[in-house]
Amino acid sequence: MRLLLFVRAYQVNGHRKAKLDPLGLEEREIPDDLDPALYGFTEADLDREFFLGVWRMAGFLSENRPVRTFRSILTRLEQAYCGSIGYEYMHIADREKCNWLRDKIETPTPMQYNRQRREVILDRLVWSTQFENFLATKWTTAKRFGLEGGETLIPGMKEMFDRSADLGVESIVIGMPHRGRLNVLGNVVRKPLRQIFSEFTSGTKPVDEVGLYTGTGDVKYHLGTSYDRPTRGGKRIHLSLVANPSHLEAVDPVVVGKTRAKQYYSSDADRTKNMGVLIHGDGSFAGQVAFTTDPRSGRSSQYCTDVAKALDAPIFHVNGDDMEAVVHVCELAAEWRQTFHSDVVVDLVIRNHPSAL
């Protein structure tokens, strides 16, 4: 029974020990629940063998688990819950949903990508990084709300969209803030780069595609666009980035409404063909203005994403410098959304400030 309580402590609080801060500056208190000594275990118990089995449970606690040493159980718990990803899902009341996540998180085989897949991820990361480098060099004084520190957002979004398309999504509506918007426009939604660069030099001008990218008179980091994008799996998915006003929170109801309208007019009764993606900064996610506020001073809770617990949404905190971890949680988020047709949160912790996707 003490071992079962110890495993559950990792499932509930393991995220508080996860290595989420890319700079390693954050000092977080590790809960006593994660100390084996609290449950009476000592060094002498590390090589003792235990059987874990609970009726109708998944992951470590499933009935068909073999006998394992305490050392191997502890090592796997640390790998699953205290690496570059912190999972919060035990607040969800549905046993089926928790079991589904436990199977995904506690599987003995960690996330593994072959060389070809890693080359695709690297290529997408290079496009994201070099886009920011070029703008910073060419227009050093222009306001551009760059993505520096969070470049992994681009390959993460692309992998999420590829996985969503594989699972039946045909259209995605995106709402996001200014920061990183030009990078998303150019590298995810495929707005022509010459058009973005034109907006930096002499304002918005029509280009060869008649009527597609015409001038609006608005600033470049307010604009949106749409595009039919091919995916890694050989399908095509329609992406639509909604134009933003200066008050960023106003775009989210528009995204939700547009997605719902697409579901209605395409007879998407199961809500599996049309999906909405909302990207926030950490302050706006918690309903605050955080442009000049340190995250520790801007909220009373540990994470800006705690408000999502009211929606029974799983929350995946991820170190933004671990590219493969970002890709993994973005794919997992797509799988959750298509399986349970409900919200899921990816909290991307980046080098300049935390932000939530």
Side-chain angles (χ1 to χ4, degrees):
M1 178 58 71
R2 284 181 288 144
L3 184 54
L4 295 179
L5 291 173
F6 181 64
V7 171
R8 185 174 179 84
Y10 267 87
Q11 294 171 341
V12 175
N13 287 320
H15 62 91
R16 295 174 62 183
K17 192 179 177 182
K19 304 168 185 66
L20 302 179
D21 182 7
L23 297 177
L25 299 177
E26 185 181 16
E27 296 180 3
R28 297 205 296 171
E29 184 179 350
I30 298 175
D32 294 337
D33 291 7
L34 304 183
D35 183 0
L38 184 67
Y39 303 87
F41 295 108
T42 64
E43 289 281 337
D45 296 311
L46 287 175
D47 294 313
R48 280 181 59 192
E49 291 186 335
F50 294 89
F51 169 73
L52 288 173
V54 179
W55 180 62
R56 295 188 67 182
M57 290 288 279
F60 280 105
L61 302 181
S62 60
E63 295 173 272
N64 58 354
R65 282 275 174 168
V67 174
R68 303 179 65 179
T69 64
F70 182 72
R71 187 190 303 274
S72 66
I73 293 171
L74 178 59
T75 299
R76 186 67 197 110
L77 285 170
E78 287 281 332
Q79 290 173 344
Y81 289 104
C82 304
S84 296
I85 305 171
Y87 298 96
E88 281 192 279
Y89 66 95
M90 293 295 281
H91 57 276
I92 300 173
D94 190 304
R95 177 191 290 267
E96 178 191 358
K97 292 179 178 179
C98 287
N99 276 340
W100 185 90
L101 278 171
R102 273 189 282 264
D103 273 337
K104 298 285 186 181
I105 297 167
E106 299 175 1
T107 175
T109 305
M111 51 186 178
Q112 293 177 337
Y113 299 105
N114 58 31
R115 180 182 177 87
Q116 182 182 10
R117 185 77 183 280
R118 285 175 171 172
E119 286 176 350
V120 171
I121 294 171
L122 175 61
D123 179 70
R124 291 170 167 177
L125 182 61
V126 169
W127 274 96
S128 171
T129 305
Q130 292 306 310
F131 179 88
E132 296 296 342
N133 290 346
F134 178 77
L135 293 186
T137 304
K138 182 74 173 176
W139 294 281
T140 55
T141 59
K143 187 183 292 184
R144 57 188 174 86
F145 296 100
L147 192 57
E148 284 92 348
E151 292 91 347
T152 52
L153 172 67
I154 302 302
M157 286 182 71
K158 288 187 171 185
E159 294 291 337
M160 177 189 290
F161 295 168
D162 286 344
R163 187 70 183 123
S164 298
D166 293 341
L167 297 173
V169 173
E170 298 173 358
S171 174
I172 295 179
V173 184
I174 309 166
M176 68 176 297
H178 297 339
R179 184 167 299 280
R181 186 179 191 84
L182 298 179
N183 208 318
V184 170
L185 278 169
N187 290 318
V188 179
V189 196
R190 302 281 183 89
K191 182 174 181 178
L193 295 183
R194 64 184 182 275
Q195 178 65 18
I196 296 176
F197 301 154
S198 171
E199 291 162 4
F200 269 97
T201 54
S202 55
T204 307
K205 297 178 181 178
V207 293
D208 299 340
E209 296 89 344
V210 177
L212 189 57
Y213 301 103
T214 54
T216 65
D218 206 347
V219 290
K220 52 190 168 294
Y221 42 83
H222 282 183
L223 305 177
T225 191
S226 60
Y227 180 73
D228 284 332
R229 180 178 174 273
T231 69
R232 181 167 38 83
K235 298 187 177 183
R236 296 192 75 84
I237 190 168
H238 183 75
L239 303 179
S240 174
L241 179 62
V242 177
N244 255 27
S246 292
H247 292 277
L248 308 179
E249 69 279 1
V251 77
D252 293 336
V254 176
V255 171
V256 174
K258 184 173 181 178
T259 305
R260 184 67 183 86
K262 281 175 171 281
Q263 292 170 346
Y264 177 82
Y265 285 108
S266 63
S267 301
D268 182 14
D270 294 330
R271 318 278 188 248
T272 56
K273 296 179 182 178
N274 300 274
M275 186 171 87
V277 174
L278 302 177
I279 304 177
H280 297 268
D282 61 324
S284 79
F285 195 95
Q288 298 171 333
V289 179
F291 191 71
T292 58
T293 306
D294 185 271
R296 289 171 293 184
S297 306
R299 56 178 179 265
S300 56
S301 60
Q302 183 173 8
Y303 303 111
C304 62
T305 54
D306 284 345
V307 294
K309 292 180 179 179
L311 306 175
D312 267 1
I315 303 166
F316 307 143
H317 308 282
V318 59
N319 187 321
D321 271 11
D322 189 334
M323 185 66 258
E324 292 188 14
V326 172
V327 168
H328 178 69
V329 296
C330 286
E331 287 190 300
L332 184 60
E335 292 172 10
W336 169 278
R337 197 274 176 191
Q338 287 303 93
T339 302
F340 298 108
H341 313 153
S342 62
D343 293 321
V344 55
V345 176
V346 175
D347 178 22
L348 183 66
V349 184
I350 64 177
R351 273 175 273 131
N352 53 1
H353 61 81
S355 66
L357 160 60

